[in-house]
Structures are given as structure tokens and as C-alpha cells.
Amino acid sequence: MTERVADQIVSALEAHDVERLYCVPGESYLALLDALRDSRITTIACRHESGAGFMAVAEAKLTGRVGVFAVSRGPGATNGSIAVHVAQQDAVPVVVLIGQVSREERGRGALQEIDYTLFLGTMTKAVYEVNDAGKIGETMVRAFHLAAQGVPGPVAVVLPEDLLGDAATASLPAPYPVHRPHASPDDAEAVMVRLERSRRPVLLAGAAMRSARGSTALKHFAAAHCVPVALTWKNQDVFDNSSPLYAGHVGLGTPPAHRKALADADLIIACGTRLGDIASQNYTFPRAPEPEQPLIHIYPDAGPIGAVFRTDLGIIADPAVLLDDLAGRPSTTGPEREAWAARLGAFIDDFMEFETREPVDGIDFGEVVMAIAAQAPADAIVITDAGNFSTWVHRHWRLSPDNTMLGAIGGAMGFGVPAAVAAGLAAPDRMAIVVVGDGGMLMTGQEIATAVATGAAPKIFLSNNHSYATIRTHQEKQFPNRISGTKLTNPDFTAWARSFGVHTVTIQMGDDVAAKVTEALAHPGACVVEVHSSLEAISAFTTITKLRGG
Ligand SMILES: Cc1ncc(C[n+]2csc(CCOP(=O)(O)OP(=O)(O)O)c2C)c(N)n1
């Protein structure tokens, strides 16, 4: 049988070791669905394109391989675009396949036609619209390579409906390997010189350290030179949070006291982070454009180095390989550095201590997070949607590289439940635990249906506080006592979740929280735990009373 363009796309996916393609089907790519039917790729039909896209992002974060999702033209693509944006913000390699109107209709404003170069041009590394059957193979290989090389990100491949059934006229090239540059011996020596001079260094580790190799190199380097390690937003699993060298997780909501503790550093080593606004705490650590301390910036791509900060030493290299090398060199530590590490460590220990505020309007969600942390398997995949409920995870749960944290650095609500479904599929032997709010739950919570359909077994902990509480926090700071647009009227979440066919647990005031968590974690299948949580205890950092000056 002649190989169709659709068949060659599927061969390209197989050649790049894609195991799952997440999608919502559309009439614009029927031939592709047909070709997938006979492939070894599992096609996961989702309930919304944002869910499909978030699943692809989560799978890529978890496996380190390129995540793939497919959406129909027009409305399918617009629904899925939130995940394209997250892939860009989070630097995650994703290929999105998008249907397109047929070539003869293109440019006439046909039904569901969009110019994807204009629509997705600023969110992707590239948009490839393929109009020639002979170019599909090379385009697919280019898309996968571009998504993963340098700063990873999303690449869109746009597929006219009538192209998919055409005969593929060229053979599929082999996948092109991703090269990571290695630091030169001079670079390593230059780091050593600065490290020897430093009495109070801090290493800030980011997403490019997310691998077994990265976290092992980091552990060895930190121990060898007694360097405290702070982790960037949602990369809390890259370094052991129980280590005396752990200098905390920084990002949205990092309190001034934590910033102040770090600010005494006399050297910043930014490692595997793009040093965006969240990682640098709004350009204060390091300070932009002139940092207060010498800055060493190590990243596998030249783009982020020197882009915002005056960088003392910029190194374009795989940070894991360089840290490995540095770990093996003579230790640069001394009594002053040890005292500095102990001081930061004592601050973090104190900061991570949990104490309930004993609210009377519902459960302190922190109590639930602490119970989960105490009972979860050591290799649990910990997933956060975007919202205040995650503050307790970041402040109090001591994660380690045995865990994997999945969260949208870009702050998109709705990431949590789909990511937990994808984690359940990609790592069925590990427990996927997600925390989500009543806001995010009704954005993409319907993907529980996808969990049921595929046998994924996430444990979903829902903080139901009848509020978009993150926004309420900002509102109370800026406009105290003037609630507007942040109250939520909710369904009976327990009944709603049960209607999907999953196990449900409800936690309310007076319940034995630890016992309820045990029940949820012991259940072998998917489980939704509705927590009637306090709004007064609005986050791990503050209460409504405090926000109002009380
Ligand atoms: C898709 C999307 N829409 C809006 C926002 C702005 N936003 C950030 S957090 C938040 C509220 C989250 O509410 P909820 O899920 O109930 O969690 P809570 O903060 O109450 O714990 C909103 C609206 C966002 N980040 N993403």
C-alpha cells in the first residue's frame, strides 16, 4: 500500500519514541487518526484541547522527551493554545499537530481557517505549515529537533486536510540528535576561581537540571563545595528539601524574609535557569540589570545569558556535566562558608515548619497537605494546579529528587488534573497526587473522564474554599473588604466526582484528616478528595484577617 502523508507522520512519531498522542479529534485530520489506529502509539481522546495539551506538557516534563498533542483546525487550536503558551513559558519540548482547511480553500476565509503563523507565531519556536507531500518527513524531524534543542519549547506543524491522504513522495529521515554544548576547561577553571573567592555563594537551580543526572550532579557539587541550593518555581524536586544545604523554593509569593536571607549572598550561580522574572523574584535576586553580587550563569543555550543581567561569567553548557566536573575538584569550602550555609539552613528549617492557624470556617488546607506529605510514597509525582492551595506544598512539603514535581511555571490554571492523568499513564507504577482549587477543578476537571477511560489512577485533592482565593489575596491587599468577582458558587463536588465513577472522599471540620488521607491514598484507582477548606487560612503565608491589617 502506498504510504500516505498521514502514515509518514505516524512513522515520524514512532521514530521519536512517542508513546502517547493526546487529542480531541476533528474532521480536519481523519486520515491521521486512521493511520494512528495501526500504530504502536496510544491515542488518548481527551475532553477538551487544553486538557490534551496540558497532558502533552506534563508527559514531556516527566519523561524528558517531546510531548505530542493533536487538535482540530480553528476552535480546536484556539482551545489548545493555552498549553502551547505553557510549553513556551515553561521551556518544555512539545509538538502540536494542527488540522488546517484544504489547500484549495486556504486564504479565502474558509470555515475554521486560521493563519497559525500569526496566531501562534509569538508562542512557538516555529510554525510549519506543510503544503508539499514530499516535505512532511523532513518537517516532522525538524519539528522534534527544534522543540528539544537549545531552550526547549513548542513547535506547531499545520496539516492541510487534503494533504494527509496524499502519497508521501520522499522517505522519512532519521531523527536528528539533540546536542548539548560542554563547558571548556577554561570555563570550569573560571568558576573555580570565583568559588574560591566566595564566602557566601548561593546556587539557583532551574528546569534544565531536571533529570536524574542533573540532580545527582547538583547534590555532589553542593556537598563538595558546601554551596546552599535554592530552587526555582515548580522545580522543587531538583534538590533534596531535607538537605542542610537546601536554601528554599523561590517564586511567586516568596516572602520578604526569605528574599532577605538569600540577599546576603556574595556570589550567585544560576544553573539551568533562564532567570526570568519569577526565578529572579522580579529581577531582585539577581538584581537587574546590575546584580549586587557577581553572577555566574550556566545554561545550555546562549539566549538567556546576558539577556537581562550583567553577567560576570556566562557559560553556554550542559550544567549537569559542568557541575559533575566541579564536584570532583578540590573543595573550596571553609569555616565562613559553613557558617553561611548553617545560617541559611536554620532559616529554611524554621520557615518550613507547619503550624495550623486553627480556622473556624473550614479545614486549614495545610493540614491536608501535611498529611499527604507524611503518607505519600517517596517517589510520588506531586502535581500542582495554579492557586493558593499549592503554597503549602511549596513551603512545607520536603520533596526530593525521588519525587517529580509537575506544575505550570507559567501559572496556567487547569494544568493540574490533566497533568495527573498523563502522569498516571506515563508512570503507572508511581502515585500521581494533584492539589487543585475549586477554580481550576471546573476548568479541566472533566479530564477525570479520561482517567476513567484509560485506567489512570490519580489522587486528586480539591481545596474547595468557594473562592478564586489567589486573586482574593491580591484583592484584599489592594482593595481591602471590597470583594469583587472572586466568589465562587460550586456544585456538590463529591457527587460530581462520583458521577464519573471514581472513588470519593470528603473532608470537613471535625474529621480525622490523616485517616481520610490514608483512605484516599490506599484506594487503588482514581480518587477525588473534596476538602471543605478554610478561606480565612487563605494561604500558607497569611490569613484574610492579616491581609485586612488585623
Ligand atoms: C487560565 C487562568 N485563568 C486565570 C488565572 C488567574 N488566576 C490565578 S490563580 C486564580 C484563582 C485560583 O483559584 P482556585 O483554583 O480556586 O484556587 P485558590 O487560589 O482558591 O486556592 C486565578 C483566577 C490563571 N492563572 N490562569
Side-chain angles (χ1 to χ4, degrees), residues 82-107:
I82 188 171
V84 176
H85 185 238
V86 167
Q88 182 202 39
Q89 291 255 309
D90 288 35
V92 178
V94 164
V95 168
V96 54
L97 304 175
I98 308 179
Q100 178 59 295
V101 300
S102 63
R103 284 167 288 183
E104 62 172 3
E105 291 175 329
R106 187 75 170 91

Side-chain angles (χ1 to χ4, degrees), residues 95-426:
V95 168
V96 54
L97 304 175
I98 308 179
Q100 178 59 295
V101 300
S102 63
R103 284 167 288 183
E104 62 172 3
E105 291 175 329
R106 187 75 170 91
R108 290 175 166 170
L111 176 80
Q112 302 181 343
E113 180 179 357
I114 293 181
D115 183 326
Y116 295 102
T117 305
L118 290 175
F119 171 41
L120 297 174
T122 60
M123 282 191 243
T124 49
K125 292 182 82 173
V127 176
Y128 299 131
E129 184 158 339
V130 187
N131 289 306
D132 176 349
K135 294 218 175 106
I136 190 64
E138 68 165 81
T139 306
M140 289 298 292
V141 171
R142 189 179 307 132
F144 271 83
H145 182 253
L146 182 61
Q149 67 118 53
V151 179
V155 175
V157 180
V158 180
L159 304 163
E161 182 181 343
D162 61 314
L163 176 87
L164 292 169
D166 281 2
T169 51
S171 57
L172 177 67
Y176 194 68
V178 173
H179 295 289
R180 295 257 178 256
H182 284 196
S184 70
D186 285 354
D187 288 330
E189 203 37 59
V191 177
M192 286 301 286
V193 167
R194 284 155 182 82
L195 204 50
E196 267 154 19
R197 265 191 234 136
S198 166
R199 285 168 298 173
R200 298 184 307 281
V202 164
L203 187 147
L204 190 56
M209 299 302 297
R210 291 182 69 93
S211 64
R213 174 135 204 233
S215 50
T216 306
L218 184 55
K219 178 175 138 187
H220 291 156
F221 170 81
H225 297 282
C226 188
V227 176
V229 176
L231 301 172
T232 61
W233 188 231
K234 305 286 181 189
N235 293 311
Q236 197 184 332
D237 53 338
V238 167
F239 187 73
D240 186 358
N241 301 178
S242 300
S243 161
L245 290 171
Y246 180 50
H249 172 252
V250 297
L252 292 170
T254 297
H258 191 178
R259 265 184 234 188
K260 204 162 159 280
L262 294 171
D264 281 342
D266 67 1
L267 172 69
I268 300 176
I269 306 171
C271 209
T273 165
R274 286 169 293 163
L275 276 182
D277 54 336
I278 305 300
S280 67
Q281 297 177 68
N282 265 327
Y283 307 108
T284 61
F285 186 79
R287 188 184 61 190
E290 293 277 354
E292 282 161 280
Q293 308 85 344
L295 169 65
I296 301 175
H297 193 177
I298 309 160
Y299 195 81
D301 187 90
I305 298 176
V308 177
F309 301 94
R310 167 119 204 120
T311 303
D312 190 52
L313 175 63
I315 301 177
I316 306 158
D318 183 331
V321 178
L322 178 56
L323 289 191
D324 238 356
D325 170 351
L326 296 171
R329 296 180 180 230
S331 178
T332 53
T333 190
E336 280 182 287
R337 191 174 303 168
E338 272 152 34
W340 158 246
R343 193 172 105 203
L344 263 187
F347 172 84
I348 291 300
D349 262 353
D350 195 43
F351 179 68
M352 291 187 82
E353 213 41 51
F354 173 74
E355 212 176 306
T356 175
R357 275 74 54 90
E358 293 179 359
V360 293
D361 65 330
I363 299 267
D364 183 336
F365 193 65
E367 279 185 48
V368 179
V369 170
M370 294 317 286
I372 306 169
Q375 298 184 36
D379 68 347
I381 301 168
V382 180
I383 300 142
T384 57
D385 203 84
N388 271 4
F389 48 82
S390 75
T391 56
W392 288 276
V393 175
H394 298 317
R395 180 167 177 179
H396 301 295
W397 189 338
R398 290 183 187 271
L399 296 182
S400 88
D402 290 338
N403 297 112
T404 306
M405 164 159 278
L406 301 177
I409 301 166
M413 290 169 73
F415 175 78
V417 173
V421 175
L425 293 171

Side-chain angles (χ1 to χ4, degrees), residues 82 386-389 411-413 437-440 443 465 467-471 488:
I82 188 171
N388 271 4
F389 48 82
M413 290 169 73
D438 44 342
M443 288 192 177
N465 56 13
S467 175
Y468 286 126
T470 311
I471 309 307
L488 289 176

